[in-house]
Each structure stands twice: as structure tokens, then as C-alpha cells.
Amino acid sequence: MRHAAATPLAARGRVIAIASGKGGVGKTWFAITLAQAFARGGARVLLVDADLGLANVDVQLGFQPQHDLSAVVAGRLPTEEAASRHTAAGIDILAGRSGSGALAALEGGALEAVLDAIAGAATRWDRVVVDLGAGLEAPQRRIAAAADTLLVLATEEPTSLTDAYAVLKLHARDRPGGDARIVVNLAADAAGGQRTHAALARAAATFLKREIPLAGVVRRDSRVRDAIRHQAPLLTRHPGCAAAQDVEAIARGLG
Ligand SMILES: Nc1ncnc2c1ncn2[C@@H]1O[C@H](COP(=O)(O)OP(=O)(O)OP(=O)(O)O)[C@@H](O)[C@H]1O
Ligand SMILES: [Mg+2]
């Protein structure tokens, strides 16, 4: 993070990366909603869709960005010009692009350019939220390790738990002492989510010697599917619903 290192800490925004290992657990939806929650709290927020293979922030929000991350990687545009304003969500979005190749295929200079763009964005926005997409190949690991906070999404399904644990294990290796926290999504209720976190935290304490706090539990809520179907941000379409309350609590907890 060359830019970040050159910038006084007080002037820096916070980079929060969202990962899961397993696909389809709600990363993209959660990243959008967390970004919107920060914005409603008064922060200037940039959402980066780093899921280049299956970029879908734009699909979930139903907008067609004029530019995307590939323009930044190619050095054609600075991040602030490549980003698009999403008025309803109150956030800026640096779109990914299906077709520009998977993040996993980024190598050498392109990956460095993405890392530089994210570090540079932290000097201009208060919060930079990065949707890393599924899996944890080398480029995603690099971005996760460079973030100030890594949020690992898990559900109570066993495959999600083992994948979330794998993400935590790699992060412990890549960023010793780093800040990784768990978000349990699609929980039946808060208590169930806390049990899921406890199981993961126990494994991390025993085998990784790492304490992994719970960032929060997001309940399963039919309004989420409804908002996505209408390509509308949740906090605009269904403010105050259970999942909205849960994400807003997580945003407050992240400070
Ligand atoms: N809290 C929730 N309550 C109800 N449904 C949810 C919740 N979170 C996510 N979903 C559902 O899960 C689906 C998948 O979400 P999303 O596309 O954000 O997952 P993802 O982890 O980004 O997937 P991928 O790994 O393919 O990128 C959404 O279509 C949404 O309907
Ligand atoms: Mg996604």
C-alpha cells in the first residue's frame, strides 16, 4: 500500500474487504448494504467491485456504469473519474467488469494497480468497501491482507464454515495480527448466528491462536431478495427491516 504508507493515518479512510471462500453467501448484497449504511451515517463511501469474473454490484443495483476498474488498471482514468455515483444508495461505485477476466487471473502489474487504486481511494473516501468475490486465490489474498479490516461472511452451513475457516487461516498467514472479523449471514436468529461464530472462533483460537470477533449477525429476511429483484438498495426500499437493522448495527460497530 504505497500511497497509504505515504499518507498520515488521520487523513486515511478505512478499507474493509468482504470475503467468504464459499460463493453465494451474500457478499455482494452485504457489501452494497454495508456501504449504504456507512453513507447514511455521514461517511463518503466508495464500493469497489473486485469480483472481476462475475462482477455483479451493477446487476444487483440495476445500473450501467460508464467506466470500471479496468480503466484504472489500464491507467486510462483515475479512480475518482472511473467511479460512478449511485444516488439512491448515496455511494460511489467502482464497478468490476464481467469479461475483463477473473481477479484470479490478474497478475503482476494489474494486481499492483488494483492495490494502488484501493490504497489511493482510502485517501479520498472515508470508507472503501471491497467485494472480493468467492474463492481466495492469490490476488484476493493480497487485497484481503492489505485491507484494514477483513470481514469474513459465513452461514451456518458446514461448507460455509470450513471455507470461512480457510479464509481466516490464509489471512492469519498473510497478515499476522491483522483485523479479521466474522459476519454470520442468513441466520435464523441472533442466537443461531452467535453459535455459528462461536464454533468458528473456537477453531481459530485453537489452531490459529487468533481471536476472531463477531462483527455481527444478519438475519435471513425475505426483503433482501425483494430488494435485489427490484434492483434497489435495501436501506432505501425496506428501511428498518430485520436485515437492514442488522447491517446498520454492524456499520456502527465498525465505527
Ligand atoms: N440476509 C439475507 N436474507 C435473505 N436472503 C439473502 C440474505 N443475504 C443474501 N441473500 C440472498 O442470497 C443471494 C446471493 O447473494 P449475493 O449474490 O450477494 O452472494 P455472493 O456471496 O456475492 O455470491 P457470489 O459468491 O456468487 O458472488 C441473493 O440473491 C439474496 O437473495
Ligand atoms: Mg458476489
Side-chain angles (χ1 to χ4, degrees), residues 27-166:
K27 288 175 301 296
T28 299
W29 167 75
F30 176 78
I32 293 168
T33 311
L34 182 70
Q36 190 185 14
F38 282 140
R40 283 162 69 101
R44 293 183 66 242
V45 186
L46 177 70
L47 173 60
V48 178
D49 187 349
D51 188 357
L52 299 189
L54 286 164
N56 51 19
V57 166
D58 46 343
V59 176
Q60 283 202 20
L61 287 174
F63 85 113
Q64 283 163 349
Q66 239 186 315
H67 305 291
D68 60 51
L69 189 52
S70 62
V72 179
V73 169
R76 283 200 307 277
L77 288 176
T79 304
E80 53 274 33
E81 283 175 38
S84 319
R85 182 75 186 163
H86 194 285
T87 316
I91 60 176
D92 296 315
I93 297 172
L94 182 55
R97 183 57 125 222
S98 305
S100 64
L103 186 60
L106 278 188
E107 34 184 59
L111 174 59
E112 295 306 322
V114 173
L115 287 164
D116 273 2
I118 291 170
T123 66
R124 295 183 195 87
W125 281 269
D126 303 320
R127 293 277 180 281
V128 180
V129 177
V130 185
D131 176 6
L132 285 177
L136 210 66
E137 310 294 334
Q140 287 157 313
R141 285 175 65 176
R142 288 281 306 280
I143 299 173
D148 299 300
T149 299
L150 176 66
L151 294 183
V152 182
L153 248 72
T155 69
E156 53 202 9
E157 286 177 32
T159 48
S160 159
L161 283 179
T162 50
D163 286 1
Y165 177 77

Side-chain angles (χ1 to χ4, degrees), residues 9 42 72 84 185 207 237:
L9 267 184
V72 179
S84 319
N185 188 26
F207 301 111
R237 187 165 173 89

